[in-house]
Amino acid sequence: MTSSKAPNVSGVESPGRRTVKSLCGMCAVRCPIQVEVEDGRVKWLQGNPNDKAMEASLCPKGAAGLAMEYDDERPQYPLIRSGERGSGQWRRASWDEALDYVAGKLKEVIDEFGGKGVALSDRGGPFADLTKSFLKALGSPNYFNHDCTCGRNAHHATQSVFGLGRTGAVYDIKNTKHLVLYGRNLIESLQVKEAKEFISAMSSGAKCTYIDPRASLTAAKATRYWQIRPNAEYALNLAMIHHVLAEKLYDAEFVERWCTGLDELRQAVRPYTLEWQEAHTGIPAREVRQFLAEIAAAAPRVIFHAGWMTARHGQSFYTSRTSHILNALFGAIETPGGVCLGKKAADAGKKDIRKLGDRIPKVEEPRVDGIGWKHKHWDDGPGLLHLLFPAIESGDPYQVGAYLIYRHDPMTALPDPDEQKRYYDKLKLIVSIDVNYSETGWYSDVILPECTYLERANLIASKGGLKPNFQLRDQCVAPRFDSRPAWWIFRELAKRLGVGEYFDFETIEEIWEYQLEGTGVSLKELREKGVVSLAGKPIMWDRADGLKFKTPSGKIEFISRKLDEAGFPSIAPFQPPSELAEDEFRLLFGRGAAHNHGHTMNNPLLHELVPENSLWLHPERAGELGIADGDLVEVMSDGYSAKGKATVTPWIHPDAAFMLHGFGRTVPLQTRACGKGMADQRLQKGLLTVYDPVGGGNALTQCTIRVRKA
Ligand SMILES: Nc1nc2c(c(=O)[nH]1)N[C@H]1C(S)=C(S)[C@@H](COP(=O)(O)OP(=O)(O)OC[C@H]3O[C@@H](n4cnc5c(=O)[nH]c(N)nc54)[C@H](O)[C@@H]3O)O[C@H]1N2
Ligand SMILES: Nc1nc2c(c(=O)[nH]1)N[C@H]1C(S)=C(S)[C@@H](COP(=O)(O)OP(=O)(O)OC[C@H]3O[C@@H](n4cnc5c(=O)[nH]c(N)nc54)[C@H](O)[C@@H]3O)O[C@H]1N2
Ligand code: SF4
Ligand SMILES: [Mo]
């Protein structure tokens, strides 16, 4: 078996100029891009001009793709650990050697525990057919992704109301009259198209109410900002629903036609008046009353954003759930400027792409995290990664021995990396497939370097929305180092494990042809355009008779039968956040426009823009501690502390402290980022297995800290 040469897409090494349509890979939004290549080098990156909403632009991270590509501080060849885990001692390996090593260990695990003893997590998204198929071929149900620390609560909440996943609720921001955001920081935690739509709506006179304990740049663009007490917005939503029902501000016709459970909803929110919420949220009742009058006047062109990430506490699920109930009460469903229902290829009358997994027999084994059998109210797709850890420790319901990590960094993305290590130490094999040195990669047994997004091609992506489409990430240049694309890596492992028949593709073009068969879309067109839309215009269903909800009742469920069956209330009583001791702060976190999670901190350009994070503190609280703006502070949580600068500002709630996520890197080979700033996930001590019991997502904002001047 020879694996000495990277499997380049044909033509990629030809001299001269080429223009390639592809997808950005600097974050998981995957904006359509156009790449100018000259003599095998990337010269210019911009948004795909065919995509009108992109207007050829990129965000700062997208533009810094060039700096990432030509940076040498990334893994350049396979590495096998030669010292203790985490010791930073590695030896260089050839691909054959590294793959033989990984396959050998996987075989041992499979012989001992069966295929189900192999778990894998990745970044999810439209390319996950590859990793899911790999596991399926091994007979493992244990596919996980990042989502337990991202959108899971909002996902499950959206399912409980509409029967659709989180991304099945499509916000028509461009045409809205009033957008309500609960910490959804559209301007900084951005997707290029969405940020542009927001600015365009605001310049056409739309209003935005932004609710967040700290004022982000989105607050600066909003027409109203409420500095809400952290983790209390569910109280606000309950009271708003109460008021909307009591004052009959809702769209009775829409609710009568499409919603179930109105009477029970009315009953459930009876105790929660606008005055009641004031004590919990700090938002004056009269302001909420005025706000709801504005919303009622603008309805149905209004959006209560159910969140992507936002606050992550024990009742996040109910916050998202009640936001969608508010959307439904105002009739803001499947209407311009409201929340539209996502469509798939079939809704455009087209055949979707074929999956690699279609050819592989179904796995009958139960998931190790209990989802689908023990926990039936959760979607079994990517499960909940935090539930893998206790199973690794207890061997209940069965033993997992190997963990493959592809485009994921759990020691940055999940709380308390030190606690994670305890679990990892029970595994026989940990492999990281990454383009960077991740925190988890550094603690693993083998690092397999993937080619960067500019150096590789991916499977074709099928994307839902109002205009479902197919998208292609094409290869722009040959890899600079001894790295390989994921499809090749998993194929090579599959071959070594005796399931190569399911991955019998020599080139990515063969995979693309397989995927496109019968769809009516040609590879030629896809490569020319980068994105091929399956519908001429946005598909909107008829609100009189054509809406489709995949709930048990076929309607919008204010009261969910599925939740009932699982023993959870559809509208739970509000639980105030735990009391803070006098010297405690609730640690909040979020993103800035210049970085993506923890993997751009070492990018030469982005590092220059934002080299470290700081701790936001309210002047009153900072004053009590003798801390002035710019002072060095020590931030402490149970048994862990970090040092960084203080930003003293009234734009943060006095109960809270805030920092950007992703800093405080520890891998010494990332010389720019190593040791700079503070790592929020390391401060989240003891929270690895603390989660919202109904939504399933990690309760990250339940973290409390103490601060002193350093
Ligand atoms: N404390 C705290 N925890 C959080 C968050 C937070 O704000 N605070 N945010 C949460 C959210 S919203 C999310 S989505 C998750 C994100 O968590 P992750 O998905 O883990 O985050 P990323 O840094 O995007 O990517 C993970 C890894 O993918 C690698 N990578 C990037 N591009 C490629 C590529 O092309 N190929 C390969 N093979 N690897 C690549 C990166 O180098 C990085 O090591 O974290 C969550 N966890
Ligand atoms: N530049 C950039 N853009 C990104 C990403 C990135 O890494 N960088 N990541 C992408 C990903 S994976 C995701 S999930 C999205 C996340 O996008 P968002 O959901 O917008 O999430 P965050 O940036 O984490 O912002 C969270 C905000 O919630 C606020 N918050 C904290 N507690 C509360 C509370 O109790 N109530 C309210 N109302 N607000 C609260 C915080 O103060 C913070 O401002 O961003 C995406 N876009
Ligand atoms: S939002 Fe920025 S980094 Fe993310 S895909 Fe789009 S251009 Fe790239
Ligand atoms: Mo996320």
Side-chain angles (χ1 to χ4, degrees):
M1 199 170 307
T2 162
S3 52
S4 55
K5 199 170 169 338
N8 289 325
V9 161
S10 56
V12 82
E13 278 160 304
S14 50
R17 287 174 182 232
R18 294 187 313 125
T19 299
V20 187
K21 300 285 195 304
S22 191
L23 299 174
C24 180
M26 291 299 285
C27 88
V29 172
R30 305 175 199 90
C31 293
I33 54 170
Q34 177 166 304
V35 183
E36 304 301 335
V37 179
E38 208 176 304
D39 295 330
R41 237 185 119 84
V42 180
K43 288 287 172 184
W44 181 248
L45 293 169
Q46 64 176 59
N48 183 340
N50 293 346
D51 192 314
K52 290 201 195 88
M54 286 290 290
E55 294 173 313
S57 27
L58 293 175
C59 81
K61 297 163 282 137
L66 261 170
M68 184 270 305
E69 180 60 34
Y70 295 105
D71 182 17
D72 290 353
E73 287 198 359
R74 51 183 172 99
Q76 303 185 2
Y77 33 75
L79 292 168
I80 300 177
R81 174 168 68 84
S82 58
E84 291 291 295
R85 277 191 184 146
S87 65
Q89 291 168 336
W90 301 94
R91 65 184 168 87
R92 180 178 182 161
S94 70
W95 275 94
D96 272 339
E97 190 188 356
L99 292 166
D100 287 346
Y101 179 87
V102 172
K105 289 275 177 193
L106 285 175
K107 254 200 181 112
E108 282 174 30
V109 167
I110 294 169
D111 287 346
E112 198 175 342
F113 308 132
K116 62 183 187 300
V118 180
L120 178 148
S121 72
D122 68 13
R123 184 42 201 257
F127 308 130
D129 177 23
L130 177 69
T131 41
K132 286 180 188 165
S133 299
F134 175 74
L135 279 181
K136 201 174 175 190
L138 298 186
S140 172
N142 294 317
Y143 168 78
F144 297 88
N145 70 18
H146 71 293
D147 213 36
C148 64
T149 46
C150 179
R152 263 304 93 170
N153 291 331
H155 175 81
H156 287 134
T158 312
Q159 273 189 337
S160 78
V161 180
F162 301 131
L164 297 166
R166 180 178 66 83
T167 53
V170 181
Y171 301 104
D172 184 14
I173 292 174
K174 198 161 124 205
N175 297 305
T176 200
K177 285 191 183 166
H178 201 140
L179 176 63
V180 187
L181 301 169
Y182 305 78
R184 173 72 192 98
N185 185 6
L186 283 173
I187 293 291
E188 294 173 281
S189 306
L190 60 86
Q191 319 192 54
V192 172
K193 279 189 212 176
E194 197 181 53
K196 280 175 168 290
E197 287 185 359
F198 173 66
I199 296 296
S200 141
M202 295 304 283
S203 8
S204 318
K207 289 186 173 171
C208 171
T209 294
Y210 184 79
I211 308 164
D212 189 324
R214 65 126 199 170
S216 64
L217 282 184
T218 309
K221 295 277 174 200
T223 37
R224 179 189 279 109
Y225 168 55
W226 280 334
Q227 191 177 70
I228 193 168
R229 174 163 296 126
N231 296 0
E233 60 205 348
Y234 179 44
L236 174 67
N237 275 5
L238 287 170
M240 290 204 288
I241 295 175
H242 172 108
H243 184 77
V244 167
L245 294 179
E247 299 298 315
K248 298 199 169 45
L249 298 178
Y250 62 97
D251 182 337
E253 199 181 323
F254 181 83
V255 170
E256 169 68 23
R257 174 68 187 87
W258 289 112
C259 307
T260 65
L262 183 66
D263 291 339
E264 289 139 289
L265 177 67
R266 202 187 295 276
Q267 200 57 36
V269 298
R270 199 171 292 277
Y272 305 118
T273 63
L274 292 186
E275 284 68 26
W276 164 84
Q277 66 79 41
E278 205 172 312
H280 293 289
T281 64
I283 305 171
R286 73 183 142 71
E287 284 190 32
V288 186
R289 196 169 287 119
Q290 167 64 28
F291 159 76
L292 286 172
E294 280 172 33
I295 291 282
R301 286 184 183 254
V302 298
I303 296 169
F304 288 80
H305 199 299
W308 187 347
M309 166 79 182
T310 68
R312 303 302 303 276
H313 49 76
Q315 289 201 309
S316 286
F317 169 87
Y318 289 111
T319 306
S320 291
R321 185 162 208 282
T322 43
S323 299
H324 273 320
I325 290 179
L326 283 160
N327 286 318
L329 285 172
F330 285 110
I333 307 296
E334 197 70 348
T335 183
V339 182
C340 301
L341 307 173
K343 316 294 180 321
K344 300 210 165 125
D347 298 309
K350 300 281 164 57
K351 188 180 161 298
D352 210 343
I353 47 173
R354 270 212 286 173
K355 293 197 168 134
L356 301 184
D358 289 349
R359 306 190 300 175
I360 309 172
K362 195 167 171 248
V363 177
E364 301 295 345
E365 297 284 356
R367 288 188 61 95
V368 72
D369 56 7
I371 296 180
W373 56 281
K374 193 162 145 199
H375 310 296
K376 290 199 175 150
H377 62 301
W378 288 324
D379 203 1
D380 62 358
L384 289 171
L385 181 59
H386 56 76
L387 295 179
L388 171 66
F389 297 111
I392 289 176
E393 179 153 68
S394 64
D396 177 27
Y398 52 78
Q399 205 69 53
V400 164
Y403 180 24
L404 308 180
I405 306 168
Y406 169 60
R407 209 211 172 292
H408 190 202
D409 185 6
M411 284 174 66
T412 302
L414 275 82
D416 205 343
D418 286 330
E419 193 184 345
Q420 289 180 45
K421 283 184 194 169
R422 226 167 38 81
Y423 299 105
Y424 295 146
D425 287 347
K426 302 204 181 307
L427 295 173
K428 291 181 196 289
L429 178 71
I430 313 171
V431 179
S432 161
I433 306 172
D434 207 302
V435 294
N436 292 302
Y437 296 108
S438 73
E439 297 287 303
T440 324
W442 202 245
Y443 199 73
S444 66
D445 302 323
V446 183
I447 298 178
L448 299 177
E450 190 179 22
C451 307
T452 69
Y453 72 98
L454 294 164
E455 301 170 339
R456 70 166 191 263
N458 279 69
L459 270 60
I460 294 166
S462 168
K463 206 167 169 207
L466 294 188
K467 286 168 75 173
N469 58 45
F470 294 164
Q471 307 188 342
L472 186 73
R473 174 173 288 145
D474 208 344
Q475 187 178 358
C476 303
V477 289
R480 291 183 58 225
F481 303 118
D482 191 18
S483 56
R484 297 287 184 275
W487 67 266
W488 183 95
I489 297 173
F490 284 104
R491 185 196 70 185
E492 290 301 309
L493 284 175
K495 276 190 201 165
R496 285 166 170 78
L497 291 164
V499 289
E501 70 204 86
Y502 300 122
F503 300 88
D504 55 348
F505 305 99
E506 276 312 307
T507 62
I508 188 77
E509 283 99 335
E510 282 178 34
I511 299 184
W512 289 340
E513 294 294 357
Y514 166 87
Q515 288 185 287
L516 285 177
E517 203 181 287
T519 61
V521 173
S522 73
L523 186 53
K524 185 166 174 288
E525 185 186 9
L526 199 49
R527 284 186 113 164
E528 270 165 21
K529 295 187 181 160
V531 178
V532 172
S533 182
L534 303 179
K537 56 178 191 347
I539 307 170
M540 295 285 273
W541 287 329
D542 181 3
R543 274 175 36 123
D545 225 15
L547 301 191
K548 291 169 218 162
F549 301 103
K550 288 195 187 140
T551 50
S553 62
K555 290 193 167 184
I556 296 172
E557 296 193 343
F558 293 156
I559 303 300
S560 154
R561 212 186 291 164
K562 209 171 148 193
L563 281 176
D564 262 0
E565 282 163 13
F568 295 107
S570 289
I571 302 290
F574 173 66
Q575 281 168 8
S578 62
E579 289 283 328
L580 290 170
E582 212 161 78
D583 60 344
E584 272 185 325
F585 296 82
R586 210 166 286 290
L587 179 64
L588 311 183
F589 53 81
R591 286 133 250 292
H595 282 293
N596 186 238
H597 302 293
H599 77 88
T600 54
M601 279 60 206
N602 201 51
N603 179 294
L605 275 182
L606 299 173
H607 173 77
E608 200 177 309
L609 281 178
V610 184
E612 61 188 5
N613 57 356
S614 67
L615 187 77
W616 293 33
L617 295 171
H618 191 274
E620 270 169 31
R621 299 289 308 274
E624 287 163 13
L625 296 166
I627 295 167
D629 189 47
D631 278 355
L632 193 66
V633 292
E634 185 175 8
V635 187
M636 298 156 291
S637 64
D638 190 17
Y640 178 80
S641 81
K643 284 189 183 139
K645 281 195 189 129
T647 296
V648 177
T649 166
W651 296 109
I652 173 112
H653 193 282
D655 282 0
F658 172 87
M659 64 174 63
L660 290 176
H661 171 57
F663 289 88
R665 316 297 297 162
T666 66
V667 178
L669 295 185
Q670 296 197 325
T671 60
R672 292 172 286 263
C674 185
K676 304 255 173 70
M678 300 162 279
D680 55 336
Q681 81 277 10
R682 291 182 189 273
L683 287 158
Q684 291 163 352
K685 287 303 263 185
L687 287 178
L688 180 60
T689 48
V690 178
Y691 55 95
D692 178 330
V694 196
N698 287 73
L700 305 174
T701 53
Q702 282 183 197
C703 173
T704 56
I705 53 163
R706 289 185 161 82
V707 184
R708 68 172 169 227
K709 199 167 159 170

